[in-house]
Amino acid sequence: MPTLLGVWSLLLLWGLVTPCQGLLETVGTLARIDKDELGKAIQNSLVGGPILQNVLGTVTSVNQGLLGSGGLLGGGGLLGYGGVFGVVEELSGLKVEEVTLPKVSVKLLPGFGVQLNLHTKVGLHGSGPLGGLLQLAAEVNVSSRVALGVSARGTPILILKRCSTLLGHISLLTGLLPAPLFGVVEQTLFKVLPELLCPVVDSVLGVVNELLGAVLGLVPLGALGSVEFTLATLPLISNQYIELDVNPIVKSVAGDIVDFPKPRNPIKVPPKEDHTSQVTVPLFLFNTMFGLLQTSGALDLDITPELLPSNVPLTTTDLAALVPEALRKLPPGQQLLLSLRVKKAPTVTLQNHKATISIPTTIHVLSYLPKGAHDALFQLNGVMTLNAQLAPSATKLHISLSLERLSVKLASSSAHTFDASHLEEWLSNVVRLAYVPKVNVNLDVGIPLPKILNVNFANAALAIIENAVVLTVSS
């Protein structure tokens, strides 16, 4: 089990790394998280949960939390009777009643991590020295430096390195407070607020680290297997974004690692525009997806007349009109069966703003008797070229195929040889209606995207570049 020393060693090494220059290794899925997304994640962690109340309640050791009956500065508290400033008995009722939701400011620090500022306002209520309600409000800026590194379990992690508070203007909203007592309150807040508010930063980072940790994990691929995301390199940081090179490990249903051919050259990733986040899906994942389909037999299909609409008959009559020499003595109107088998992995091409899938196939043409033996007529070797339409959802990249063309050559025949190209238009129509829809159903599982701070890629702009697809979403 990696030790804490190991984590800090990784942090030290990480600080020596320079930002990526736009080249990605041929396998990784590159994720670039804009600083705006990090700021939103931090702001949402404050809005979405009771972090302020929980943390402040813990710090003050008041069972009821920040708004409890004792309060931080109440009886027995720092300003109360018996507290550090117990001499000021007149202020024994003063306590923190509220903390305004902080405004978050994030600045990325290349070679280190993040400068995180939380600007908030603390409200204090109590009784004045002459009786009556006393209300004060103090503006506070919490400034913290946060390092980015890798946790013991291999996830990106933000670690608080330094935290301080700067007390701003203190306003007396209600009541009277003599100048000497006002000074005591001010001095006390200087002492109290760092211990009070810096734990808020730690809790916020805990929530964000959970989101960063979700980048890595096991994602199912339906009946095909699964994808496990891991960090390929240490995180990188520029003044605009955090970069994660995520390595997808594809496994079969049996749990075996699947390794299909990878491109020889690194991917040239386009620059990221400001206020956008980006994820790059490499060609490797496309090859792997179709490789799994091929090895599982999901690309094989027996096409019978029942799979086609009634206006597209699959009979010897249709075949005789194109290649009569292939039928021997079979009568007209007899049904046919087309057995498509894919024995080699398809080839995926990503370039020039286009995604193309080439599927080599063997087509056996047989006479078809629903309850009888099938009589082999001839065999064709073909290549199906399909265009891939790509559409992102929140967490996946979906693929839908359409047939561009089918080319075939005669491999063997039980009768006379013939020119198989005469069959291409007829076969293309059959494949388009029966085969492509079946493959699209199997592709419905999609290619999973790494989760980065809950960024939703449903409306992302999609660009097909050399050997990769780039999704870009505005922050």
Side-chain angles (χ1 to χ4, degrees):
M1 178 105 178
T3 63
L4 185 61
L5 179 61
V7 175
W8 290 114
S9 299
L10 287 175
L11 282 170
L12 179 61
L13 288 172
W14 175 86
L16 303 176
V17 179
T18 57
C20 178
Q21 300 300 312
L23 290 180
L24 173 66
E25 291 303 318
T26 55
V27 175
T29 298
L30 189 71
R32 289 171 169 172
I33 309 168
D34 190 79
K35 68 181 184 69
D36 292 350
E37 288 294 343
L38 182 60
K40 283 196 292 186
I42 293 171
Q43 189 75 56
N44 290 339
S45 71
L46 292 166
V47 174
I51 285 180
L52 294 177
Q53 287 79 1
N54 288 347
V55 171
L56 295 174
T58 300
V59 172
T60 59
S61 299
V62 176
N63 291 335
Q64 292 87 352
L66 175 64
L67 302 182
S69 58
L72 174 65
L73 306 181
L78 289 177
L79 282 185
Y81 180 76
V84 176
F85 293 88
V87 293
V88 191
E89 297 183 26
E90 295 92 340
L91 295 180
S92 62
L94 189 63
K95 59 186 176 186
V96 175
E97 290 282 358
E98 61 182 341
V99 176
T100 304
L101 183 68
K103 293 181 180 179
V104 176
S105 173
V106 172
K107 181 182 179 181
L108 299 185
L109 306 173
F112 179 77
V114 182
Q115 175 73 39
L116 172 61
N117 292 330
L118 304 178
H119 182 80
T120 187
K121 185 177 289 187
V122 177
L124 303 103
H125 296 184
S127 299
L130 302 178
L133 181 65
L134 184 66
Q135 292 182 312
L136 298 96
E139 293 185 4
V140 186
N141 190 60
V142 183
S143 179
S144 56
R145 285 222 166 184
V146 180
L148 173 65
V150 180
S151 73
R153 67 186 187 95
T155 62
I157 187 172
L158 295 169
I159 300 175
L160 182 62
K161 299 287 287 183
R162 189 177 72 205
C163 179
S164 61
T165 59
L166 179 63
L167 187 63
H169 180 65
I170 300 177
S171 305
L172 180 61
L173 305 179
T174 303
L176 297 173
L177 190 64
L181 293 181
F182 192 93
V184 170
V185 172
E186 188 174 44
Q187 292 175 32
T188 303
L189 290 177
F190 271 119
K191 292 177 178 292
V192 169
L193 287 177
E195 292 184 7
L196 192 68
L197 295 178
C198 284
V200 173
V201 178
D202 249 338
S203 288
V204 165
L205 295 182
V207 174
V208 175
N209 284 336
E210 287 185 13
L211 294 175
L212 286 173
V215 172
L216 311 183
L218 199 66
V219 182
L221 283 174
L224 299 178
S226 61
V227 176
E228 182 178 5
F229 291 110
T230 62
L231 277 185
T233 62
L234 296 177
L236 303 176
I237 195 166
S238 74
N239 59 357
Q240 286 295 325
Y241 58 87
I242 297 170
E243 183 171 284
L244 304 175
D245 188 357
V246 182
N247 181 33
I249 301 173
V250 183
K251 297 182 179 180
S252 66
V253 175
D256 300 323
I257 294 177
V258 179
D259 192 14
F260 286 95
K262 307 171 182 63
R264 295 180 179 178
N265 300 318
I267 298 168
K268 295 182 179 179
V269 182
K272 187 190 81 65
E273 297 181 0
D274 290 348
H275 310 297
T276 64
S277 290
Q278 193 180 69
V279 65
T280 302
V281 184
L283 178 63
F284 166 77
L285 278 180
F286 288 85
N287 283 332
T288 303
M289 169 71 76
F290 282 93
L292 284 173
L293 288 170
Q294 184 265 321
T295 56
S296 67
L299 297 180
D300 299 337
L301 182 64
D302 288 338
I303 302 176
T304 61
E306 292 83 3
L307 296 180
L308 293 167
S310 57
N311 62 341
V312 184
L314 191 62
T315 67
T316 51
T317 302
D318 305 279
L319 203 56
L322 300 170
V323 286
E325 59 271 35
L327 292 182
R328 297 182 305 182
K329 297 180 180 180
L330 288 176
Q334 185 166 334
Q335 292 181 329
L336 298 173
L337 180 147
L338 304 182
S339 180
L340 277 68
R341 295 293 180 266
V342 179
K343 298 180 179 180
K344 295 182 179 179
T347 301
V348 182
T349 303
L350 299 174
Q351 62 181 11
N352 300 326
H353 311 291
K354 186 177 181 180
T356 305
I357 319 297
S358 179
I359 303 179
T361 182
T362 300
I363 304 174
H364 300 271
V365 181
L366 309 94
S367 63
Y368 175 62
L369 299 173
K371 295 184 180 181
H374 305 316
D375 191 6
L377 299 178
F378 55 88
Q379 178 181 320
L380 304 172
N381 291 332
V383 176
M384 291 181 282
T385 302
L386 304 107
N387 293 322
Q389 292 76 46
L390 308 178
S393 65
T395 59
K396 294 181 179 180
L397 180 61
H398 296 276
I399 307 171
S400 178
L401 301 181
S402 60
L403 183 68
E404 180 178 305
R405 66 181 180 274
L406 168 64
S407 60
V408 294
K409 292 182 179 180
L410 182 64
S412 63
S413 173
S414 61
H416 302 286
T417 59
F418 57 89
D419 185 356
S421 64
H422 295 158
L423 297 173
E424 288 178 349
E425 183 177 349
W426 173 67
L427 287 172
S428 294
N429 196 30
V430 172
V431 167
R432 190 175 288 111
L433 292 170
Y435 183 79
V436 174
K438 186 255 187 183
V439 176
N440 281 336
V441 169
N442 292 325
L443 284 171
D444 191 55
V445 65
I447 295 178
L449 305 174
K451 296 178 182 179
I452 49 173
L453 294 181
N454 286 335
V455 176
N456 188 335
F457 285 95
N459 297 315
L462 186 148
I464 300 174
I465 63 173
E466 190 80 19
N467 293 333
V469 171
V470 181
L471 302 176
T472 303
V473 63
S474 297
S475 300

